[in-house]
Amino acid sequence: MLVQPITLVGHNIWKMKCPILCRHLDELGLKDELQELVSGFLDTESLARDNLKGKDIKKFSQQDLSKMLLKKTYPGHNTLEAVKNLQELYQTLLPAQEKHLFSLVQLEAHMSLQPLVLAMAVTKPSAQTLAQQGISFETLKQAYQKDPKKGLKHLLRHLGNELGPNKLSTTIRHTQAFFLSKLAH
């Protein structure tokens, strides 16, 4: 029996692996079970990028970090050894992990925001910030529909410090334009 809370740890899982996992589990009708078992996810790539900021590091793949931080060759063709390698990387990067934890709700919010990212209404970093706050595409859409002029501004006003006033203003303007064009049809 698994002891909760369980955190799934992986490298580059925020952008790549978890959306795929979530989509497949949803197709199989198992997403609710995942949510019951897993309290959150932790992406060691974003953890490494944050913890190693200011260092002369250009690549953050698990292979490169393994070579640089652990002085080891990444055992890519041996799954068990790759997991052990990830565990060593995680232990090396341990400080400040809380801000790199994310929940299934945040992951789903991030996935839902991709149409805005693809339409260039929201930047990738802004989408990440919105998702970390649990703000989904549907939440933005409802705020816009409730009040097309001020709904998004009211919803996102607390993100001024996170995004900065200029990026926040741009995000609101571009999101309003996106919904205006999509909902007018």
Side-chain angles (χ1 to χ4, degrees):
M1 178 153 192
L2 297 172
V3 179
Q4 290 185 339
I6 295 170
T7 301
L8 293 181
V9 178
H11 200 76
N12 195 21
I13 60 173
W14 172 254
K15 298 176 202 161
M16 301 275 295
K17 297 166 185 131
C18 279
I20 293 167
L21 173 68
C22 199
R23 192 169 41 253
H24 287 296
L25 289 174
D26 197 26
E27 289 169 5
L28 296 169
L30 297 172
K31 194 168 64 174
D32 289 341
E33 289 180 45
L34 175 72
Q35 194 157 11
E36 286 176 28
L37 291 172
V38 176
S39 64
F41 305 86
L42 186 129
D43 190 337
T44 55
E45 182 190 25
S46 66
L47 182 64
R49 286 184 184 277
D50 194 48
N51 287 1
L52 302 172
K53 206 180 285 179
K55 307 240 188 303
D56 191 28
I57 298 171
K58 304 283 188 265
K59 297 179 182 179
F60 289 88
S61 70
Q62 189 173 345
Q63 294 87 331
D64 291 320
L65 291 172
S66 179
K67 188 176 184 179
M68 187 175 37
L69 298 176
L70 304 176
K71 311 293 186 225
K72 293 181 176 182
T73 303
Y74 175 71
H77 297 294
N78 183 327
T79 305
L80 181 58
E81 291 304 314
V83 169
K84 289 178 181 177
N85 178 271
L86 183 63
Q87 185 177 18
E88 282 184 70
L89 271 177
Y90 170 74
Q91 290 169 342
T92 302
L93 298 167
L94 202 54
Q97 70 180 18
E98 294 80 24
K99 87 183 223 186
H100 300 284
L101 285 169
F102 59 95
S103 68
L104 186 58
V105 169
Q106 291 167 315
L107 174 64
E108 289 176 323
H110 188 257
M111 291 166 53
S112 77
L113 294 169
Q114 295 316 297
L116 290 168
V117 172
L118 291 172
M120 292 190 259
V122 174
T123 64
K124 287 180 182 181
S126 294
Q128 187 164 332
T129 300
L130 292 171
Q132 288 169 337
Q133 298 294 318
I135 298 171
S136 68
F137 180 90
E138 193 59 34
T139 305
L140 293 172
K141 181 179 166 187
Q142 288 173 359
Y144 174 80
Q145 287 176 320
K146 186 175 180 181
D147 184 349
K149 289 188 180 188
K150 295 181 184 173
L152 291 171
K153 187 175 184 177
H154 180 73
L155 173 69
L156 303 176
R157 70 187 180 283
H158 69 282
L159 295 177
N161 291 338
E162 296 265 344
L163 293 173
N166 291 339
K167 188 173 271 190
L168 177 60
S169 176
T170 301
T171 298
I172 291 169
R173 243 187 2 268
H174 289 181
T175 304
Q176 285 171 326
F178 174 88
F179 285 128
L180 179 63
S181 71
K182 297 295 181 190
L183 299 177
H185 297 114

